Amino acid sequence: MAIPGHDRSPADPGLRAGRAPGARPLAGHLPVLYRSPLDFLGALPRHGDLVEVRIGRRPLFVLCHPDLVRRVLTDDRTYDREGPSYQRSRRAMGNGLATCPQAEHRTQRRLMQPAFRPDHLARYAAVMRRTIGEAVDGWRHGQRIDLGGELFALATKTAVRALFDAELPPAEGRELHEALDTFLKGIYRQTLLPWAAGLPTPGNRRYGRALAHGQAYTARLVEGRRAGAGTGGSGDVAKDVLSHLLSTRLPDGTPVAGDAVHDQCTALVLAGSETTASALAWSCHLLSRHHDVAEELYAEAHGVLGGRAAAQEDLPRLPLTGRVVTEALRLYPPAWLIPRVTTTETELAGRRLPVGSMVVFSPYVIHRRGDLYPEPGRFRPGRWAEEDVPADGPAADRNASLRAYAPFGLGAHRCIGESFALTEATLALATIAARWRLQAVPGAVVRPAARAVLAPERLPMYLYAR
């Protein structure tokens, strides 16, 4: 007998569409998405591979199967970066690579790609090593800190130094962190409650001030470089993203427009700070709860590094460190909600989707499927070891879990800074593990904050020198 709301499609054999239960009149699933979005999203695969959720009266379709994710994220003509959420992001962050629609993406990607070549990454890694070493040298034995805040300061200072060849004084860094935190909370609320965005509430006023602060900071970065001698900071050779943008000439011979430079830098300040800090914070949190893995990691890091900060050439000798970061990104992907909007009528899992339908990919949902990742809620870095990959799996594909892993997205829009982020997170985690033992504060509850980047609300931690 057919189940109401479930269909099967020849285009997606074996996949089914369904509806999430519990929608309230008028509000739909808004209350639960606001209060406990991860618990709600994590339960959706039991209702189908494509699950309809209600945002007020508007349907939203959540991709709960990796085949549908790959189909949507690799077809950016049908599933474009449009709709209210991206319009709001563009008003806040500009029309840069992180927010632009499909029609502009290839041109922008080509513009930005040279600044992320391997030779640039080697220079960035040298900056990472110096900044990481300075940060951990400043910690004290027995100190209690908000590790999330410390790691944000580290990631932001690293991004500003590496990508913009500039310094970030501590006071300015704290102000920027507060502004970005307020912005990320505010834009998540405004995406869920767009009708409330224009109300003169205290939260909206804080959001407006945070937005202005972040934009002003980017403007100072760009104008400070323009006022300097040459476009390359210490010289005229483009050695960072900002110098690349200011020295590049477009095919018609004109420089990159000022607003385009500002937009790209605004997104990089956010991506280079919050996302990397989030990956590091969750890695440290998980290690503090799994002492066996933490001791294995210490043995690896100490054996390779001794007392020095990690360098790029150490990465091949830090396989467990890399697996810890990989597993933390599986459990807590920073970009946990990725929306798309259909540009033409289409079909997924037997469900017809009209033009303008919102489709959402959540790595958090896919990364916790038990058929792809045994014991999906358990922190198991060993699952990423070559010898731990099963010989068979779903659809007899031993790489199913690897293909479903997408903390940086898929397709043409895959994050351009993926190598930058993974390099920094691995170098920082190895350096910390070799020098410090992290102990969770007894009784402290660590939970994800409901905002645009999935980070801990608070991460209180004791530090003990090794």
Side-chain angles (χ1 to χ4, degrees), residues 159-184:
V160 169
R161 278 181 169 178
L163 301 178
F164 307 111
D165 192 24
E167 291 297 327
L168 183 66
E172 193 169 12
R174 287 190 293 271
E175 292 176 357
L176 183 60
H177 184 198
E178 184 177 339
L180 291 179
D181 186 65
T182 302
F183 165 72
L184 290 169

Side-chain angles (χ1 to χ4, degrees), residues 81-82 86-87 89-105 108 111 259-264 266-267:
R81 297 200 295 190
E82 284 293 359
Y86 277 108
Q87 292 167 6
S89 295
R90 287 180 199 127
R91 286 197 296 269
M93 299 168 55
N95 189 43
L97 185 62
T99 57
C100 70
Q102 182 271 335
E104 302 173 41
H105 183 265
Q108 292 203 25
L111 169 68
D259 58 348
V261 173
H262 183 277
D263 291 354
Q264 302 294 358
T266 297

Side-chain angles (χ1 to χ4, degrees), residues 38-362:
L38 297 180
D39 290 341
F40 174 72
L41 290 171
L44 291 182
R46 72 184 65 166
H47 303 295
D49 301 301
L50 178 77
V51 180
E52 179 184 331
V53 170
R54 288 277 166 172
I55 304 296
R57 295 182 176 180
R58 184 181 181 187
L60 177 150
F61 300 93
V62 181
L63 305 169
C64 296
H65 193 281
D67 290 350
L68 296 180
V69 170
R70 188 164 293 274
R71 178 174 163 187
V72 168
L73 294 190
T74 57
D75 182 2
D76 56 358
R77 291 183 181 275
T78 303
Y79 306 95
D80 202 356
R81 297 200 295 190
E82 284 293 359
S85 62
Y86 277 108
Q87 292 167 6
R88 193 164 292 105
S89 295
R90 287 180 199 127
R91 286 197 296 269
M93 299 168 55
N95 189 43
L97 185 62
T99 57
C100 70
Q102 182 271 335
E104 302 173 41
H105 183 265
R106 179 173 294 184
T107 299
Q108 292 203 25
R109 185 90 180 195
R110 286 175 175 170
L111 169 68
M112 298 294 291
Q113 194 68 58
F116 290 91
R117 293 192 314 248
D119 57 325
H120 282 272
L121 184 60
R123 286 195 290 270
Y124 300 154
V127 176
M128 293 172 189
R129 182 186 187 188
R130 173 167 60 95
T131 310
I132 292 164
E134 292 171 358
V136 300
D137 284 345
W139 292 352
R140 302 189 310 275
H141 178 72
Q143 181 182 11
R144 174 176 168 167
I145 61 172
D146 173 16
L147 187 60
E150 290 284 329
L151 294 174
F152 172 84
L154 166 61
T156 309
K157 189 173 185 178
T158 301
V160 169
R161 278 181 169 178
L163 301 178
F164 307 111
D165 192 24
E167 291 297 327
L168 183 66
E172 193 169 12
R174 287 190 293 271
E175 292 176 357
L176 183 60
H177 184 198
E178 184 177 339
L180 291 179
D181 186 65
T182 302
F183 165 72
L184 290 169
K185 289 177 181 175
I187 200 164
Y188 178 68
R189 285 195 299 265
Q190 290 194 9
T191 299
L192 285 180
L193 307 169
W195 54 269
L199 299 178
T201 64
N204 284 340
R205 286 194 290 269
R206 285 193 298 271
Y207 174 79
R209 289 193 297 269
L211 186 56
H213 185 97
Q215 291 173 340
Y217 177 76
T218 303
R220 289 196 301 273
L221 273 179
V222 176
E223 291 311 311
R225 177 64 62 82
R226 288 187 190 278
T231 58
S234 305
D236 289 331
V237 178
K239 60 188 181 66
D240 56 63
V241 173
L242 184 50
S243 58
H244 164 71
L245 288 170
L246 293 177
S247 63
T248 293
R249 292 297 177 267
L250 301 176
D252 62 2
T254 60
V256 180
D259 58 348
V261 173
H262 183 277
D263 291 354
Q264 302 294 358
C265 292
T266 297
L268 286 172
V269 168
L270 178 63
S273 56
E274 285 284 355
T275 54
T276 305
S278 171
L280 265 174
W282 288 120
S283 296
C284 291
H285 166 67
L286 291 163
L287 288 169
S288 73
R289 298 297 201 271
H290 297 81
H291 301 294
D292 54 339
V293 180
E295 290 306 309
E296 287 182 51
L297 184 62
Y298 164 69
E300 174 180 274
H302 178 72
V304 173
L305 305 179
R308 63 180 174 82
Q312 187 184 33
E313 54 267 27
D314 297 317
L315 293 176
R317 296 190 293 157
L318 296 168
L320 176 58
T321 312
R323 291 197 291 269
V324 168
V325 173
T326 299
E327 180 73 344
L329 286 168
R330 181 188 70 83
L331 287 166
Y332 298 103
W336 59 288
L337 280 179
I338 301 174
R340 293 290 187 266
V341 172
T342 58
T343 60
T344 184
E345 184 178 288
T346 188
E347 182 176 307
L348 287 174
R351 179 69 183 263
R352 300 297 298 176
L353 303 182
V355 175
S357 297
M358 182 174 288
V359 179
V360 170
F361 161 51
S362 173

Side-chain angles (χ1 to χ4, degrees), residues 415-431:
C415 177
I416 198 172
E418 178 177 355
S419 294
F420 182 101
L422 291 175
T423 297
E424 182 182 355
T426 306
L427 296 181
L429 188 61
T431 303

